[in-house]
């Protein structure tokens, strides 16, 4: 054949077979003759046969439905077309999509159909929609039906499984925006029923499922995408009047040319103008009237008081416009700003904010929801709208909970999981998050900082960078923290105490302000006294462990402790403990003098408070071979005395003692030493190398948690508890902490 055969020219298709001949052929009847097609096997022949029959019938239905005369006949043909698609043995997406596209084209070309005819067509194609997304034009038809007849049973019985499939399986609304629009209109239609939000709530429950974990991972992102688009559409006309950007409808239908679009409405809100500074003093109250920017559905009213700052008044000569949120955040010149939506936009906003609240009530959805909302994906006009972010003062009590996004943020702040409440912070540096918006002075704060205090409490409880978080609070939110502390908020009182304890600010005036704020309330005064007690304990520990060798620093610590009654009492208790140490040395002297211990070979004084003074009695034990001084106050002076007299000593344990290189070098004369434990002492690497060279019999040595620990060590080390260095480590941590501790006037 020289020319191809069109599908429309095929009059008939038949299967041919011959007995005793394995040939698989098809006979096509066309005008002027027949055509034989031979396949390699029966399977391929059957595929050709069903495909050709399908194409032939599709062309027939396209021709019949392209010129409808009687709609009774059209409806019958549509049902036959649907039955053919459902019974076809072919497995291909186009088998079901082709009938939907034919019906979609039919509906787009015939817009004068009655409502009953609309519903009959929808019911006829319903079986095809169970496993297939509707085409874009068909989505527009469904949207129109949802808007015009939201109470129709078709919405509940036919559209519900379609929308459920879209939410479960759709991967990207950006590629098919009309699916999102159809889902949006369907939910609004549910909200128009008598039960209203109860029906929507049951629909959300059906999407989540009865278990504690939703089995469909795409449901939540798709629902959030629908909510965000619907909320944006409520403020879309005002946004377009501000920046003249194309609307979602224009994007769907193809953006108009600039000359065909509406001109930008004039908008002048709190724009800075230095030229008006000198004129502000002469302005009368008659000129300080409200500025109203109106569109067909939205009215934005800005009231300026006579105390407005002149630097933030409007300037008619400048083309650039200020950011609406920046105006609200920065300027006190705006005493009130209210955005009034039209009735339909108001209902849409209430419905989808309520859906966000419903989504936040599911524990398994809350982490993902918090992550999706962390960048604050709402238009600035929505954030400035009190019905969206906070409880408006004029809202009736029975409607207070229906318009608050604040409820969602509160749920995030109450969730103990770090992946949830960490999303309250900004998504990156330099960008505000929900934490900033609901802080005192923020756009959305209307509760005197209660939600802010709740967020601070949960963030501090799991914050792994506590000091960094406190630094950010001190730099940006110190005033609100002090104000809430004055009102008796315990969380803020704890924050101020932590700022003092971690020495967050070096400014003395700021520290005095924080102290004055704490002492203004009973809770603050009690917590500040507890903080001072902890600091006094630190000072006493510095003296007890001899953290600093500087006499002036020691005298300063003693003077600080004696400046208060509590500190004086704690210092006296420290002195009593020091006297007890001397008494222990005397007890040891009495013990050794009570009998003959000249042949004693093993002595353990571990975990006692003996000092170097007991060395004078230990040297009277010439046969001593093993001496354990673990975690005592034995120092360099006693070590030098032992090295001169106890020449037969073989095992010496100095773990967690205050000995230094000055005393350890004296051990080089004890040639009999076989085992030496210097764990958690002030041993240096050089001294360690010197001891190894001068003690030839030394076989076991422990230098962990010392400076020499990083250098070479002997291979054989005695086993001991890994926490044995905890006491000396705590001393080092204490020293580091004391270096940061400010000497307040206690």
């Amino acid at each position: 054949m020289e020319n191809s055969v069109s599908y429309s020219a095929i009059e008939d298709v038949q299967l041919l077979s011959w007995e005793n001949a394995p040939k698989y052929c098809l006979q096509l009847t066309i005008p002027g003759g027949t055509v034989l097609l031979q396949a390699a096997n029966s399977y391929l022949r059957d595929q050709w046969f069903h495909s050709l029959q399908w194409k032939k019938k599709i062309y027939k239905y396209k021709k019949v439905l392209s010129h409808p005369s009687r709609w009774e006949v059209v409806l019958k043909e549509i049902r036959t077309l649907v039955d053919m698609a459902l019974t076809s043995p072919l497995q291909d997406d186009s088998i079901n999509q082709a009938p939907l596209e034919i019906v979609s084209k039919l509906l787009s070309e015939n817009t004068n159909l009655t409502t009953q005819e609309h519903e009959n067509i929808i019911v006829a194609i319903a079986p095809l929609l169970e496993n297939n997304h509707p085409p874009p034009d068909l989505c527009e038809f469904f949207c129109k039906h949802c808007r015009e007849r939201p109470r129709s049973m078709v919405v509940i019985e036919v559209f519900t499984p379609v929308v459920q499939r879209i939410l479960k399986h759709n991967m990207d609304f950006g590629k098919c925006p009309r699916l999102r629009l159809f889902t949006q209109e369907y939910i609004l239609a549910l909200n128009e029923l008598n039960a209203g939000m109860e029906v929507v709530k049951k629909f959300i429950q059906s999407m989540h499922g009865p278990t504690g974990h939703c089995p469909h991972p795409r449901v939540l992102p798709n629902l959030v995408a629908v909510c965000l688009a619907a909320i944006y559409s409520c403020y879309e006309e005002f946004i377009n009047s501000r920046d003249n950007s194309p609307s979602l409808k224009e994007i769907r239908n193809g953006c108009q040319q600039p000359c065909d679009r509406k001109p930008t409405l004039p908008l002048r809100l709190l724009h800075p103008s230095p030229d008006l500074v000198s004129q502000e003093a002469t302005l009368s109250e008659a000129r300080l009237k409200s500025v109203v920017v109106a569109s067909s559905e939205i009215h934005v009213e800005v009231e300026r008081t006579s105390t407005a700052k002149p630097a933030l008044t409007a300037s008619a000569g400048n083309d650039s416009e200020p950011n609406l949120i920046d105006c609200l955040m920065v300027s006190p010149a705006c005493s009130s700003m209210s955005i009034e939506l039209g009735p339909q936009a108001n209902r849409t906003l209430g419905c989808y904010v309520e859906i966000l609240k419903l989504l936040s009530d599911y524990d398994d959805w809350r982490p993902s929801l918090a992550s999706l909302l962390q960048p604050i994906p709402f238009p600035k006009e929505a954030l400035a709208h009190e019905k969206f972010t906070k409880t408006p003062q004029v809202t009736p009590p029975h409607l207070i909970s229906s318009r608050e996004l604040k409820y969602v943020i509160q749920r995030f702040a109450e969730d103990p999981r770090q992946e949830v409440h960490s999303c309250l912070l900004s998504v990156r540096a330099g960008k505000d998050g929900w934490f900033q918006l609901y802080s005192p002075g923020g756009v959305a704060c209307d509760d005197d900082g209660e939600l802010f205090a709740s967020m601070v409490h949960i963030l501090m409880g799991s914050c792994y960078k506590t000091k960094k978080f406190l630094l950010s609070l001190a730099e940006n939110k110190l005033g609100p923290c002090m104000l809430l502390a004055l009102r008796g908020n315990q969380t803020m009182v704890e924050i101020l105490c932590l700022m003092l304890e971690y020495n967050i600010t070096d400014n003395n005036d700021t520290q005095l302000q924080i102290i004055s704020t704490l002492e203004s309330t009973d809770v603050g005064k009690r917590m500040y006294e507890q903080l001072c007690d902890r600091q006094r304990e630190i000072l006493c520990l510095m003296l007890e462990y001899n953290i600093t060798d500087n006499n002036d620093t020691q005298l300063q610590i003693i003077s600080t402790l004696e400046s208060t009654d509590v500190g004086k009492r704690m210092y006296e208790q420290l002195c009593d403990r020091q006297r007890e140490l001397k008494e222990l040395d005397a007890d040891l002297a009495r013990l050794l003098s009570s009998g003959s211990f000249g042949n004693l070979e093993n002595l353990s004084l571990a975990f006692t408070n003996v000092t170097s003074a007991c060395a004078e009695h230990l040297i009277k034990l010439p046969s001593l071979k093993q001496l354990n001084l673990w975690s005592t106050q034995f120092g360099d002076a006693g070590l030098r005395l032992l090295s001169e007299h106890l020449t037969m000593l073989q095992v010496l344990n100095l773990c967690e003692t205050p000995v230094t290189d000055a005393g350890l070098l004296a051990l080089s004369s004890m040639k009999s030493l076989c085992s030496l434990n210097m764990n958690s002492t002030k041993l240096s690497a050089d001294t360690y190398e010197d001891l190894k060279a001068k003690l030839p019999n030394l076989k076991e040595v422990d230098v962990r948690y010392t400076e020499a620990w990083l250098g070479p060590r002997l291979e054989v080390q005695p086993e001991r508890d890994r926490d044995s260095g905890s006491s000396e480590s705590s001393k080092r941590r204490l020293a580091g902490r004391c270096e940061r501790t400010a000497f307040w006037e206690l």
Side-chain angles (χ1 to χ4, degrees):
M1 294 180 62
E2 297 180 356
N3 300 323
S4 61
V5 178
S6 62
Y7 289 108
S8 58
I10 299 176
E11 297 177 354
D12 191 18
V13 181
Q14 293 182 356
L15 292 171
L16 294 182
S17 61
W18 293 271
E19 295 181 1
N20 302 323
K23 295 183 179 179
Y24 309 99
C25 297
L26 287 178
Q27 178 178 314
L28 307 183
T29 303
I30 60 175
T34 59
V35 176
L36 289 179
L37 298 178
Q38 183 176 359
N41 51 59
S42 59
Y43 177 79
L44 182 59
R45 180 198 61 186
D46 293 343
Q47 286 289 323
W48 286 357
F49 175 72
H50 292 298
S51 298
L52 289 171
Q53 278 193 329
W54 169 256
K55 285 289 187 179
K56 181 175 177 295
K57 292 179 181 179
I58 282 294
Y59 275 104
K60 170 193 169 184
Y61 286 112
K62 283 184 178 180
K63 183 177 180 181
V64 171
L65 297 177
S66 61
H67 302 288
S69 56
R70 296 170 53 193
W71 282 100
E72 296 84 359
V73 177
V74 170
L75 184 60
K76 182 179 179 181
E77 293 292 339
I78 291 177
R79 289 171 179 166
T80 307
L81 175 63
V82 171
D83 291 339
M84 183 194 69
L86 295 175
T87 57
S88 174
L90 298 176
Q91 301 294 326
D92 191 84
D93 293 339
S94 62
I95 301 301
N96 292 325
Q97 285 294 329
L100 292 176
E101 291 174 358
I102 292 174
V103 175
S104 177
K105 183 178 180 181
L106 172 67
L107 294 173
S108 62
E109 294 176 352
N110 297 270
T111 59
N112 55 349
L113 299 178
T114 64
T115 304
Q116 187 60 42
E117 291 171 342
H118 279 175
E119 293 188 354
N120 291 337
I121 293 175
I122 293 173
V123 173
I125 64 175
L128 292 179
L129 297 174
E130 293 180 359
N131 298 312
N132 299 275
H133 290 335
D137 292 338
L138 200 57
C139 287
E140 289 285 351
F141 175 70
F142 290 168
C143 291
K144 180 181 178 182
H145 189 81
C146 289
R147 288 191 293 266
E148 294 179 353
R149 298 204 61 190
R151 298 174 181 269
S152 170
M153 290 305 298
V154 171
V155 174
I156 301 296
E157 297 178 356
V158 179
F159 289 168
T160 297
V162 178
V163 173
Q164 287 178 338
R165 187 181 188 280
I166 291 173
L167 291 176
K168 290 178 181 178
H169 301 288
N170 177 68
M171 298 301 295
D172 186 4
F173 277 132
K175 296 180 180 179
C176 42
R178 298 190 186 184
L179 288 179
R180 178 199 52 74
L181 185 62
F182 167 50
T183 306
Q184 177 180 329
E185 294 293 344
Y186 166 79
I187 294 176
L188 290 176
L190 294 183
N191 191 42
E192 293 295 329
L193 299 177
N194 292 333
M197 283 306 301
E198 287 299 322
V199 181
V200 177
K201 183 176 180 180
K202 291 181 179 179
F203 174 73
I204 299 297
Q205 290 176 346
S206 69
M207 296 306 305
H208 180 273
T211 62
H213 183 77
C214 179
H216 305 287
R218 290 300 309 168
V219 169
L220 178 65
N222 287 334
L223 279 174
V224 173
V226 171
C227 291
L228 295 180
I231 292 172
Y232 182 89
S233 67
C234 296
Y235 304 93
E236 183 178 8
E237 189 168 349
F238 171 68
I239 296 172
N240 294 338
S241 69
R242 171 167 57 86
D243 58 11
N244 202 27
S245 60
S247 64
L248 293 179
K249 185 175 181 181
E250 290 173 335
I251 293 174
R252 289 194 301 268
N253 299 333
C255 186
Q256 304 173 10
Q257 296 297 325
C259 58
D260 298 333
R261 304 208 31 224
K262 296 183 294 184
T264 305
L265 294 179
L267 176 63
R268 295 284 184 261
L269 294 180
L270 308 176
H271 190 77
S273 176
D275 297 336
L276 295 179
V277 175
S278 61
Q279 302 176 12
E280 184 64 18
T282 62
L283 291 177
S284 62
E285 293 184 1
R287 294 184 60 187
L288 294 175
K289 296 181 179 179
S290 299
V291 179
V292 179
V293 180
S295 63
S296 60
E297 286 191 13
I298 304 172
H299 306 280
V300 180
E301 183 176 350
V302 182
E303 298 177 0
R304 295 178 295 163
T305 63
S306 57
T307 60
K309 289 186 178 181
L312 293 173
T313 54
S315 172
N318 200 324
D319 293 335
S320 61
E321 298 300 337
N323 185 299
L324 182 60
I325 292 301
D326 292 341
C327 295
L328 291 174
M329 294 285 287
V330 175
S331 174
C334 184
S335 62
S336 66
M337 172 168 285
S338 60
I339 298 180
E340 298 181 5
L341 303 180
Q344 180 59 35
N346 214 4
R347 288 193 295 270
T348 301
L349 179 65
C351 175
Y352 282 98
V353 172
E354 189 68 23
I355 290 177
L356 289 177
K357 293 170 61 177
L358 292 174
L359 298 180
S360 67
D361 287 334
Y362 291 95
D363 291 339
D364 60 319
W365 275 352
R366 203 174 300 134
S368 298
L369 179 62
S371 178
L372 291 170
L373 297 185
Q374 185 180 12
I376 313 184
F378 300 103
K380 299 177 177 63
E381 287 72 16
L383 299 177
H385 190 193
E386 63 177 7
K387 289 184 179 180
F388 177 68
T389 56
K390 56 188 179 182
T391 307
Q393 297 177 356
V394 296
T395 303
H398 66 283
L399 294 178
I400 283 180
S401 63
S402 64
R403 302 286 171 80
E404 289 182 2
L405 185 68
K406 178 182 174 182
Y407 176 86
V408 179
I409 307 305
Q410 182 71 45
R411 296 291 289 168
F412 295 163
E414 294 172 352
D415 197 299
R417 290 171 291 184
Q418 194 269 343
E419 65 268 25
V420 176
H421 57 251
S422 63
C423 294
L424 296 170
L425 299 174
S426 58
V427 69
R428 63 177 181 272
K431 181 177 176 60
D432 286 343
W434 295 111
F435 182 76
Q436 286 77 19
L437 258 66
Y438 280 94
S439 64
V443 175
C445 182
D446 67 336
D447 56 0
D448 295 331
E450 293 182 5
L451 178 56
F452 173 73
S454 177
M455 291 190 288
V456 171
H457 177 76
I458 193 69
L459 289 171
M460 280 298 300
S462 64
C463 187
Y464 61 95
K465 294 184 178 179
T466 303
K467 189 169 183 179
K468 183 178 180 181
F469 183 66
L470 289 174
L471 281 170
S472 66
L473 284 179
E475 293 175 359
N476 304 313
K477 299 297 177 183
L478 182 58
C481 290
M482 295 174 65
L483 181 61
L484 292 172
L486 285 173
R487 294 173 181 168
N489 188 285
Q490 186 169 353
T491 299
M492 291 304 156
V493 172
E494 294 176 357
I495 291 296
L496 294 182
C497 289
L498 287 174
M499 287 182 180
L500 291 177
E501 186 171 2
Y502 285 96
N503 198 24
I504 296 300
T505 175
D506 297 330
N507 191 310
N508 293 332
D509 294 337
T510 304
Q511 290 185 354
L512 292 176
Q513 289 179 359
I514 295 176
I515 294 172
S516 176
T517 301
L518 292 173
E519 292 181 339
S520 301
T521 61
D522 295 337
V523 177
K525 187 180 298 184
R526 182 175 66 254
M527 297 188 69
Y528 179 61
E529 290 175 354
Q530 295 173 356
L531 172 62
C532 292
D533 290 341
R534 291 197 299 272
Q535 297 301 323
R536 295 188 191 100
E537 291 176 359
I538 291 175
L539 296 179
C540 288
L541 289 174
M542 291 175 65
L543 292 176
E544 184 174 3
Y545 287 100
N546 197 25
I547 297 300
T548 175
D549 297 330
N550 191 310
N551 293 331
D552 294 337
T553 303
Q554 292 181 350
L555 291 175
Q556 186 179 4
I557 294 174
I558 295 172
S559 176
T560 302
L561 290 173
E562 292 182 342
S563 61
T564 60
D565 295 337
V566 178
K568 187 181 298 183
R569 183 172 65 253
M570 295 178 68
Y571 179 62
E572 291 174 354
Q573 294 173 355
L574 173 62
C575 294
D576 292 340
R577 290 197 298 272
Q578 296 295 334
R579 284 192 291 270
E580 290 176 358
L581 293 178
K582 296 180 180 179
E583 293 176 359
L584 288 174
D585 294 334
D587 291 341
L588 179 62
R590 287 193 296 270
L591 176 64
L592 295 179
S593 61
S594 63
S596 176
F597 293 95
N599 296 326
L600 183 65
E601 295 183 355
N602 192 338
L603 176 62
S604 176
L605 299 175
F607 303 103
T608 64
N609 289 322
V610 295
T611 65
S612 298
C614 71
E616 297 178 357
H617 309 287
L618 294 177
I619 61 177
K620 298 176 182 179
L621 304 173
S623 301
L624 195 62
K625 295 182 179 180
Q626 298 183 18
L627 178 60
N628 189 349
L629 297 173
W630 186 359
S631 191
T632 63
Q633 300 298 316
F634 200 86
D636 293 338
L639 206 56
R640 284 191 290 267
L641 193 60
L642 292 181
S643 63
E644 294 175 2
H645 296 83
L646 299 180
T647 56
M648 301 194 54
L649 195 64
Q650 298 177 0
V651 179
L652 179 60
N653 191 340
L654 299 174
C655 178
E656 297 181 15
T657 57
V659 295
T660 64
D661 288 346
L664 292 172
L665 284 173
L667 298 178
S668 59
S669 61
M670 304 176 72
K671 306 297 183 180
S672 299
L673 273 179
C674 300
S675 175
L676 179 60
N677 190 335
M678 296 176 286
N679 186 312
S680 302
T681 62
K682 297 180 180 179
L683 172 70
S684 66
D686 293 338
T687 301
Y688 174 57
E689 295 297 330
D690 187 66
L691 287 175
K692 286 197 301 180
K694 294 181 179 180
L695 296 176
N697 295 324
L698 193 61
K699 298 179 181 179
E700 296 181 355
V701 63
D702 189 347
V703 294
R704 288 177 291 175
Y705 308 105
T706 65
E707 180 185 335
W709 193 25
L710 299 177
R713 299 186 294 274
L714 296 181
E715 295 181 358
V716 182
Q717 295 184 357
E719 295 184 358
R720 54 182 294 260
D721 186 10
R722 67 171 59 186
D723 294 331
S724 62
S726 58
S727 176
E728 186 66 25
S729 301
S730 64
K731 295 178 187 178
R732 290 194 292 270
R733 290 195 300 269
L734 178 63
R737 184 177 180 183
C738 293
E739 291 176 0
R740 302 192 303 266
T741 303
F743 287 96
W744 305 324
E745 186 177 353
L746 303 178

